[in-house]
Structure formats: C-alpha cells, structure tokens
Amino acid sequence: MGTADRPAATVHPGAVQAIFDHLILSLTADGRPGTPVFLFSHYRLRWAADGIVGDLAFLETANDGGTERLVLTDAPALVSAQSGRLSPRGWSPEDLERPPTVAVFGSTPLAGPAVTETVVAEGLSVEVEWSALGPPAFATGPAPRVPTEDIVSVLIEAGAGRATMNGRAVAGSLFVNDVWVPWLGRPLRSGVVAIGEVLLTRP
C-alpha cells in the first residue's frame, strides 16, 4: 500500500460535476446505420454539483407524419439544467423549447443478461429492453459532449434490443454505430448501458 507522501490511489484533480447512468437504444428499420425509427436516451442523474437530480430522457419516434421528439422527466428543472448538452445529436434548440412531459420511470435490476426500462406518462407508455449484454468495459477520457471535461464510465454493450410504444412493438433492430470509434477506437452496437459515469472538470 501507499503512504501519505505516495498514496496508492490516483486522485483526479478536477471537481466532480455529475454522477449518472446513461442508457441509450437506437433502432433502424433494417439494422443498418441510418435514420432511426426509434431512439431512447435516458440519463439517471444521481448526483450533480447544482443539486438538480432525477431522470431525463429523450425519445424520438418515426411515424407516418414524420418524426416526433419528446423530452421526458420526473424533475422538470433538469430540462433547463442539462438538456442543452445532453440532448441527442441532430436535435435542434426548438426540440428542447417545448414543455417537457412529466413521466414515471421504472427499471429492472442490472443483474443478468438483460435490463428493461419503462416510462409512463399521460397517453404514453414506453418499454425498452437491452438484452444479450456483454461484459462491462471501463473507459475514461475527454467527455465526448463536453470536451473541456473528463468522464469515467463503465460501458455494457447490448447484443440485441427492443422497444414497445403503447403496447405496440417497434419494428427495428440495433446497428453497428461508428460514433464510438473516435473515443473507444472501435464501434459499439446502438444499444449501450453506461453505469456509474462521473463527469469532472479538467484543471
């Protein structure tokens, strides 16, 4: 073990900004990279320097009329505090200006080959499943969405995923997502469970 002069632990010199889980599932009609027919990006904010915590999710679905985008939360203050930097790529400021939908979030334990989340709001019921979960991978580096800060993450890639909207199954499949290549050096499938993420300032 170390000593007071040479401690065994490595202490990051930055200040912790937030601690959260991030679960994302994106499906395309043919299982190839392209415009999603379903996108669910859920942040579970467990601790934040500004004291605003809770669940914040971004939902995008394709229908006959085009694309519908909703911001779902159980803590409306999170929307103004975090949605600007956490919203999915391709979302515009106008997508975030509409009032959020207040929802109730539920989840099964992450203790097996699959994890399921539910989101229930007035007139809306969503169920999302990540299955065939791979082994966790530990990664740390510049935060992709906040390049002036660092992030520590445990990433679990899903081999399969599914979603239902108001009881109807979404017709779509995961795809190989190259967006991860610049950060990890390899792609991941478009269903990822990231747990215990820590966002820190970089001195």
Side-chain angles (χ1 to χ4, degrees):
M1 293 297 291
T3 65
D5 294 329
R6 293 184 177 180
T10 299
V11 179
H12 192 289
V16 175
Q17 297 300 297
I19 302 171
F20 54 92
D21 301 331
H22 180 205
L23 296 88
I24 185 166
L25 186 92
S26 183
L27 306 175
T28 56
D30 57 4
R32 298 179 179 181
T35 303
V37 294
F38 179 88
L39 170 65
F40 180 75
S41 177
H42 177 200
Y43 290 87
R44 304 171 180 163
L45 273 294
R46 302 310 189 199
W47 185 91
D50 61 9
I52 304 173
V53 297
D55 290 282
L56 176 64
F58 304 91
L59 176 66
E60 180 175 317
T61 57
N63 53 47
D64 295 337
T67 300
E68 182 178 10
R69 292 171 173 168
L70 294 175
V71 178
L72 306 161
T73 187
D74 62 358
L78 269 177
V79 178
S80 57
Q82 299 286 356
S83 64
R85 67 177 181 175
L86 299 182
S87 59
R89 292 176 175 86
W91 281 42
S92 68
E94 289 75 21
D95 293 321
L96 306 175
E97 289 174 356
R98 292 187 291 272
T101 299
V102 176
V104 176
F105 294 78
S107 179
T108 60
L110 184 58
V115 62
T116 302
E117 291 209 331
T118 58
V119 185
V120 178
E122 185 176 354
L124 177 68
S125 176
V126 181
E127 182 176 285
V128 185
E129 181 184 82
W130 296 257
S131 56
L133 297 176
F138 180 87
T140 182
R145 298 298 300 274
V146 192
T148 59
E149 299 180 351
D150 291 330
I151 194 167
V152 177
S153 183
V154 176
L155 302 169
I156 302 174
E157 183 180 14
R162 66 172 182 85
T164 63
M165 292 276 296
N166 296 327
R168 299 183 61 180
V170 175
S173 302
L174 298 180
F175 58 91
V176 176
N177 193 351
D178 287 336
V179 73
W180 291 95
V181 172
W183 202 67
L184 283 180
R186 64 181 179 90
L188 296 176
R189 291 182 183 86
S190 57
V192 176
V193 177
I195 57 175
E197 295 200 297
V198 181
L199 188 68
L200 309 107
T201 60
R202 188 182 307 134

